[in-house]
Amino acid sequence: MEAQAPSHVQSSWAYLTIFAALVVLTGTTVGAALAPLGHWHIPVALLIAAGKAILIYLFFMHGLESGRLVWLIVMGALLCLSILLSFTLADYRSRPDDSHLRGLRSAACEQCRTTSG
Amino acid sequence: MTTATVEPRPQMREPRPRGRIDYLNVDFGARSWLLTTDHKRIAILYLVSITLMFIVGGLFAVLIRLELATPPGDLVSADTYNRLFTMHGVVMLFFFLIPVIPSVLGNFLVPLMIGAKDLAFPRLNLASWYVYMTGALVALWAMLAGGVDTGWTFYTPFSTRSSHSYVIGTAVGVLILGFSSILTALNFVVTIHRMRAPGLTWFRLPLFIWSTYATSLIILLGTPVITVTLLLLAAERLLGIGIFDPRLGGDPILFQHLFWFYSHPAVYIMVLPAMGVVSELVTTFSRKTIFGYHFVAFASIAIAVLGFLVWGHHMFVSGQSVYASLIFSFLSYLVAVPSAIKVFNWTATLHKGSVAFQTPLLYAFGFIALFTIGGLTGLVLAATAVDVHVHDTYFVVAHFHYIMVGGTVMAYMGGLHYWWPKMTGRMYPEGWAKLGALIIFVGFNLTFFPQFVLGYQGMPRRYHEYAPEFQVLNVMSSAGATILGAGYALPMFYFLWSLRSGKEAGPNPWGATGLEWATSSPPPPHNFETTPTVTLPPYIYSRKEADVVG
Amino acid sequence: MLSANLVKPGVLPGALPHEAPATQEPLASQFADLYQQREVATLGMWVFLATEILFFGGPLTAYAIYGGRFSDDFVAASERLSVPLGALNTVVLLGSSLTVALAVRAARLGQFRSVSLLVLATIVLGVVFLGIKALEYSHDYAEGLIPGIRFTAEWRPGVEARHAELFFFFYFFLTLLHAVHMLVGLAAWAVLLLRTLRGRFSVRWNAPIEVAGLYWHFVDVVWVFLFPLLYLLRH
């Protein structure tokens, strides 16, 4: 068995570089929010956030040097979360458009309010 | 291919002379139990507390069946009845069925089966029992204060707007219980990964370990969602914000999505460990290795994964999109595949085995038969069109009782009989036990089979009165419940009797393989005198089988 | 052979022969050696973090659904939050992650004076984060943005108050959940700081610092997602 102690120690500068990159990405995400991106705001913001998360995972949390098992655990949890998100969103996206009903409902509400009032 | 020196079973030791130190007599007094970090003692703590919760839940069931013995609502009011079936569901599901096999049998057996001295985090393990007790006491307090009437599903907006019962107290109890499950599951996953004895590779693990592992994955990934959903529910009820309330812009179906994302997989939390127990029982009492070890092992993982993809089949009539319903329906059929693999492999294991009809195997037979009925009626319910007809009828009630009581409780009873000699060092009385198994099987079927018919004829669930034409079947069901209750009471008596007067068991009364049988009964505080080394797959019962794998 | 000796200090439970006793975290009796104990500790934290992903995933799913349904009201409500304070807090938290990463590095190298200073810096940054958060909350209270307790949507005509309230509910729910995690982390760092000062850790045994570091980085990652999703919703 090999000595495990200072198995993989990066230089302090490596960590400082990662931190600088994270700060730059924070600035980018704020800048992107001000830019006229329309519907692309959230995808771009999530993309930048994912990039930051990957940096933190790989370097700060030593994702690079930890074994396959840790990677499996993280991916498993993310897969599970994506199931929750995608199946639930799929239900909402595939429901028939009932906005006309919503209008009717609020009209009916108005009516009952005025008649009772 | 080494063949000559294969020892068919792990090495057995002679029973130690009287006066030996085991985990039960190493220390005495309440303090030594309440502050223990020994997984075996914690398993006993769980055994006692979970049995008490089972009795509480059973008392609610008694009152329900008494009310339903006659068509009019004459024993309790509709409101009381709502509280009774809700509390029956909450106690039985969250405080009995979900923790029972992992926390009692799993806690006792996981370290023993993998040749470890204890779980990876013994103090966390004790903490999980205290968390369980806290959750149980909070829920019991809410019940004594007035109970809860929402159904165990806590559906909004009734639970947040209309219900005048102790919704938040009960929800907090369930939420706390969730943390207990998570701690236990985390302990199991880490222990199974990192604490196995030398030579105990993944494919040498007993199938109970595989199913416990799969169960733990579900607990870890599902439970946090219900925890946070119940927090949202409590916030909505306290603050009056429309998270799930359509009048305020919320969506009640979202609650159902989040709720069932955990609560459907929770069914597999209940039944997967039961399947693990049955795998152990079937091999031991047919004296054969399991048929298709890899298939049974991976079926557990497959069930765990597929279990997360089918929750929408609870919501076919809720207003969920029909397209989502179709996909959920299709995926629900897929779960039948790994479940059927297990049933077929158990059957094939029994084929041409030298079958010994001891009590644990009788319970395993009960499990296989009743789980098959429960599973097949599940397919009926997964069909979108049929579900509209039988949704919220007694057909559903009968279906899930076949899975949970016929499946999980049967396997738990079988496992408890099987490992009782290991846990206590004493044999239970075989004759009485066989009688008990028979009574439970008869009582169970008499209770719940009529409910399939009732449901198909259209009797809705959750009403305290019903049309007179349903009375005959309801009386049968209530009579069956009486028999079932007697069947559950009997083992409690003879198990207690056996503690003092049962025959000495010896380390391996069944002649079973598996590391838990390689140590004395009851095991010493640190399980093994020397860490065992494993050289063979599990369930090697004959020289021939040893040759095949050797 | 010397290195093997270092890794497996003693097969006897609890016994660490020929070692300076002051720097030892006792080996728990269920483990064979410190190496196994460390592996178990980090794996346990990773498994716990997996459940945490789902824990935050539940409310985020609900937020995604309502954000899609009431996007105009949610954007209007999001614009009420202070982007400068949010961005500042992001940098503060990222900075605390940096100090944690450096603390873990120093622990691996056995520089325990640096460890205690870096952990102290982490605690300070964490408290600053919570302080800024409290400042934001007090602004929200003054402006009547507390859902269910004190809420108005008069700041922008045409905004459906209930939907804006829903946004602020999720804002408070998620940030409070995050703040609770911060508090747990701060408590852990306080304990570890004391233990470091008492010389409980060594080159061979510093797993608690590493494990607490994993937790802290995860809490940081959560904020990395919460910041744009809550503060930066725009059209």
Side-chain angles (χ1 to χ4, degrees):
Chain A
M1 187 56 62
E2 289 297 311
Q4 101 285 11
S7 56
H8 196 97
V9 177
Q10 276 154 344
S11 74
S12 303
W13 286 110
Y15 289 120
L16 281 167
T17 315
I18 299 298
F19 171 69
L22 290 169
V23 172
V24 168
L25 283 172
T26 306
T28 316
T29 194
V30 173
L34 302 173
L37 292 179
H39 287 297
W40 290 94
H41 271 300
I42 293 178
V44 167
L46 284 177
L47 206 67
I48 297 172
K52 288 162 81 178
I54 288 170
L55 283 181
I56 295 175
Y57 165 68
L58 287 182
F59 296 98
F60 285 0
M61 300 173 92
H62 308 291
L64 274 181
E65 56 184 277
S66 45
R68 211 169 28 152
L69 182 59
V70 166
W71 191 81
L72 263 175
I73 291 170
V74 174
M75 293 316 285
L78 290 178
L79 179 73
C80 199
L81 176 61
S82 70
I83 290 171
L84 171 64
L85 262 170
S86 59
F87 275 53
T88 309
L89 282 171
D91 168 32
Y92 285 86
R93 286 296 157 89
S94 61
R95 282 198 209 154
D97 179 19
D98 65 346
S99 46
H100 58 292
L101 291 176
R102 219 174 278 161
L104 282 177
R105 252 198 313 262
S106 54
C109 271
E110 285 303 314
Q111 207 172 12
C112 65
R113 224 174 280 159
T114 46
T115 48
S116 67
Chain B
M1 297 291 277
T2 55
T3 50
T5 58
V6 172
E7 178 70 29
R9 274 167 224 160
Q11 201 184 356
M12 270 179 271
R13 285 180 193 80
E14 290 300 306
R16 283 196 283 174
R18 285 201 166 273
R20 65 172 183 233
I21 297 293
D22 60 50
Y23 80 100
L24 291 169
N25 67 14
V26 66
D27 208 348
F28 295 96
R31 203 184 145 80
S32 75
W33 281 90
L34 294 176
L35 295 179
T36 183
T37 51
D38 186 334
H39 66 101
K40 301 180 286 301
R41 285 196 163 204
I42 295 170
I44 303 293
L45 290 176
Y46 267 117
L47 174 67
V48 173
S49 38
I50 285 180
T51 306
L52 289 177
M53 289 309 274
F54 180 68
I55 293 171
V56 171
L59 288 177
F60 291 131
V62 167
L63 291 171
I64 291 171
R65 282 321 314 173
L66 268 179
E67 167 60 63
L68 292 178
T70 55
D74 39 14
L75 182 68
V76 295
S77 68
D79 190 44
T80 310
Y81 184 79
N82 289 346
R83 288 164 201 248
L84 285 177
F85 72 70
T86 301
M87 294 187 290
H88 170 68
V90 167
V91 171
M92 285 302 203
L93 283 159
F94 292 113
F95 294 97
F96 175 72
L97 285 162
I98 286 177
V100 65
I101 296 182
S103 294
V104 179
L105 298 177
N107 243 326
F108 195 89
L109 292 168
V110 166
L112 281 170
M113 281 183 161
I114 66 170
K117 289 179 195 151
D118 205 318
L119 288 171
F121 305 110
R123 277 180 295 176
L124 213 56
N125 195 22
L126 179 66
S128 88
W129 180 73
Y130 278 101
V131 174
Y132 172 87
M133 290 307 283
T134 311
L137 289 177
V138 169
L140 285 177
W141 165 79
M143 284 167 194
L144 287 176
V148 59
D149 65 350
T150 58
W152 76 279
T153 48
F154 301 111
Y155 270 12
T156 56
F158 177 75
S159 59
T160 50
R161 285 274 152 186
S162 316
S163 172
H164 296 291
S165 60
Y166 288 78
V167 179
I168 292 184
T170 315
V172 167
V174 172
L175 186 155
I176 295 172
L177 169 92
F179 287 110
S180 161
S181 305
I182 288 176
L183 294 181
T184 303
L186 190 150
N187 230 331
F188 286 164
V189 166
V190 176
T191 306
I192 293 169
H193 268 288
R194 288 280 181 262
M195 313 269 292
R196 301 192 306 274
L200 190 53
T201 57
W202 281 89
F203 293 111
R204 286 177 181 171
L205 286 173
L207 288 164
F208 180 76
I209 297 291
W210 273 95
S211 63
T212 303
Y213 184 80
T215 309
S216 303
L217 293 185
I218 304 177
I219 293 175
L220 289 168
L221 295 172
T223 315
V225 177
I226 186 100
T227 306
V228 85
T229 307
L230 291 173
L231 276 178
L232 291 173
L233 177 102
E236 167 162 342
R237 197 172 157 90
L238 278 174
L239 299 172
I241 303 158
I243 310 161
F244 303 121
D245 186 342
R247 286 191 305 176
L248 300 176
D251 183 2
I253 298 175
L254 179 63
F255 176 83
Q256 299 186 19
H257 275 300
L258 293 173
F259 179 83
W260 288 114
F261 180 80
Y262 164 75
S263 295
H264 187 74
V267 176
Y268 302 111
I269 296 176
M270 301 170 209
V271 87
L272 267 173
M275 291 170 157
V277 169
V278 170
S279 298
E280 301 292 325
L281 301 184
V282 163
T283 54
T284 299
F285 292 100
S286 57
R287 288 280 172 277
K288 266 177 72 188
T289 189
I290 191 90
F291 182 89
Y293 173 91
H294 289 76
F295 281 94
V296 180
F298 281 119
S300 291
I301 306 294
I303 289 173
V305 174
L306 286 172
F308 276 109
L309 299 167
V310 301
W311 77 82
H313 67 217
H314 294 269
M315 299 161 58
F316 287 162
V317 300
S318 71
Q320 175 181 245
S321 127
V322 279
Y323 305 104
S325 292
L326 285 177
I327 292 168
F328 279 125
S329 168
F330 172 73
L331 290 168
S332 304
Y333 283 112
L334 284 188
V335 183
V337 176
S339 309
I341 285 176
K342 290 194 175 232
V343 170
F344 287 131
N345 282 357
W346 294 323
T347 318
T349 307
L350 288 161
H351 179 64
K352 289 192 174 170
S354 37
V355 180
F357 292 92
Q358 307 271 41
T359 311
L361 187 69
L362 297 185
Y363 279 110
F365 283 154
F367 174 94
I368 295 174
L370 302 178
F371 172 75
T372 305
I373 297 174
L376 290 175
T377 51
L379 292 182
V380 173
L381 288 165
T384 46
V386 184
D387 183 70
V388 174
H389 176 66
V390 290
H391 189 87
D392 262 350
T393 68
Y394 265 85
F395 192 87
V396 178
V397 175
H399 155 70
F400 68 69
H401 279 91
Y402 263 77
I403 296 285
M404 294 171 187
V405 186
T408 307
V409 182
M410 279 280 175
Y412 172 62
M413 293 299 287
L416 202 58
H417 283 82
Y418 179 59
W419 284 294
W420 187 257
K422 182 53 64 184
M423 296 167 95
T424 64
R426 303 281 184 162
M427 296 302 290
Y428 58 83
E430 184 67 37
W432 285 104
K434 279 185 176 152
L435 180 67
L438 186 72
I439 293 174
I440 288 177
F441 187 79
V442 171
F444 174 84
N445 282 294
L446 190 57
T447 310
F448 292 108
F449 196 81
Q451 296 185 3
F452 277 126
V453 184
L454 281 170
Y456 206 75
Q457 289 176 349
M459 178 172 161
R461 65 193 281 204
R462 295 181 169 176
Y463 284 88
H464 78 315
E465 51 189 2
Y466 54 85
E469 60 263 34
F470 294 134
Q471 190 176 9
V472 174
L473 288 167
N474 268 299
V475 169
M476 281 169 71
S477 184
S478 290
T482 318
I483 299 172
L484 189 58
Y488 285 136
L490 185 59
M492 292 186 197
F493 288 114
Y494 65 68
F495 274 144
L496 284 176
W497 172 86
S498 77
L499 287 180
R500 194 166 284 276
S501 316
K503 213 168 57 182
E504 284 268 352
N508 191 356
W510 311 117
T513 66
L515 290 177
E516 79 267 33
W517 303 108
T519 186
S520 52
S521 304
H526 269 305
N527 294 349
F528 300 95
E529 268 149 37
T530 52
T531 302
T533 301
V534 181
T535 53
L536 282 177
Y539 316 124
I540 303 298
Y541 278 98
S542 66
R543 183 55 61 107
K544 205 175 110 200
E545 286 171 344
D547 288 351
V548 171
V549 297
Chain C
M1 278 326 288
L2 186 66
S3 64
N5 235 352
L6 279 173
V7 178
K8 302 211 172 204
V11 189
L12 294 172
L16 295 172
H18 62 267
E19 289 289 339
T23 57
Q24 298 312 316
E25 184 72 8
L27 176 66
S29 60
Q30 71 271 25
F31 300 116
D33 51 43
L34 282 177
Y35 179 75
Q36 187 187 26
Q37 186 165 334
R38 172 203 158 98
E39 289 279 288
V40 161
T42 47
L43 181 62
M45 180 47 77
W46 277 110
V47 173
F48 176 71
L49 295 183
T51 75
E52 288 276 40
I53 290 178
L54 272 296
F55 190 69
F56 282 96
L60 281 175
T61 304
Y63 181 71
I65 285 179
Y66 294 134
R69 187 182 277 187
F70 312 124
S71 59
D72 293 345
D73 301 319
F74 269 45
V75 167
S78 171
E79 284 171 350
R80 301 296 299 166
L81 298 174
S82 163
V83 175
L85 284 181
L88 176 64
N89 243 352
T90 310
V91 174
V92 168
L93 202 55
L94 289 171
S96 76
S97 252
L98 173 68
T99 53
V100 165
L102 291 174
V104 171
R105 174 180 178 276
R108 286 183 177 188
L109 293 172
Q111 301 160 349
F112 286 94
R113 225 185 116 71
S114 313
V115 171
S116 35
L117 286 175
L118 286 161
V119 170
L120 187 66
T122 307
I123 294 175
V124 169
L125 287 168
V127 170
V128 168
F129 178 93
L130 288 177
I132 295 176
K133 204 81 221 124
L135 187 71
E136 288 185 77
Y137 286 163
S138 69
H139 286 171
D140 297 334
Y141 185 80
E143 292 181 35
L145 296 176
I146 313 290
I149 293 167
R150 189 184 146 120
F151 195 83
T152 66
E154 284 158 9
W155 26 270
R156 171 86 62 90
V159 167
E160 175 65 64
R162 289 160 180 171
H163 302 163
E165 191 175 17
L166 210 50
F167 170 87
F168 274 98
F169 171 75
F170 281 107
Y171 165 73
F172 277 102
F173 189 80
L174 288 163
T175 53
L176 280 173
L177 215 56
H178 180 261
V180 168
H181 280 81
M182 296 274 301
L183 286 174
V184 172
L186 286 175
W189 285 127
V191 171
L192 291 177
L193 179 62
L194 278 179
R195 286 199 192 171
T196 310
L197 291 173
R198 285 187 190 153
R200 296 279 192 81
F201 299 121
S202 65
V203 177
R204 298 193 306 101
W205 179 247
N206 49 47
I209 297 174
E210 182 149 353
V211 167
L214 289 177
Y215 175 83
W216 193 262
H217 293 310
F218 173 80
V219 175
D220 191 11
V221 167
V222 170
W223 182 259
V224 160
F225 281 94
L226 290 187
F227 171 59
L229 285 176
L230 294 171
Y231 286 76
L232 299 177
L233 288 185
R234 297 292 181 267
H235 275 309

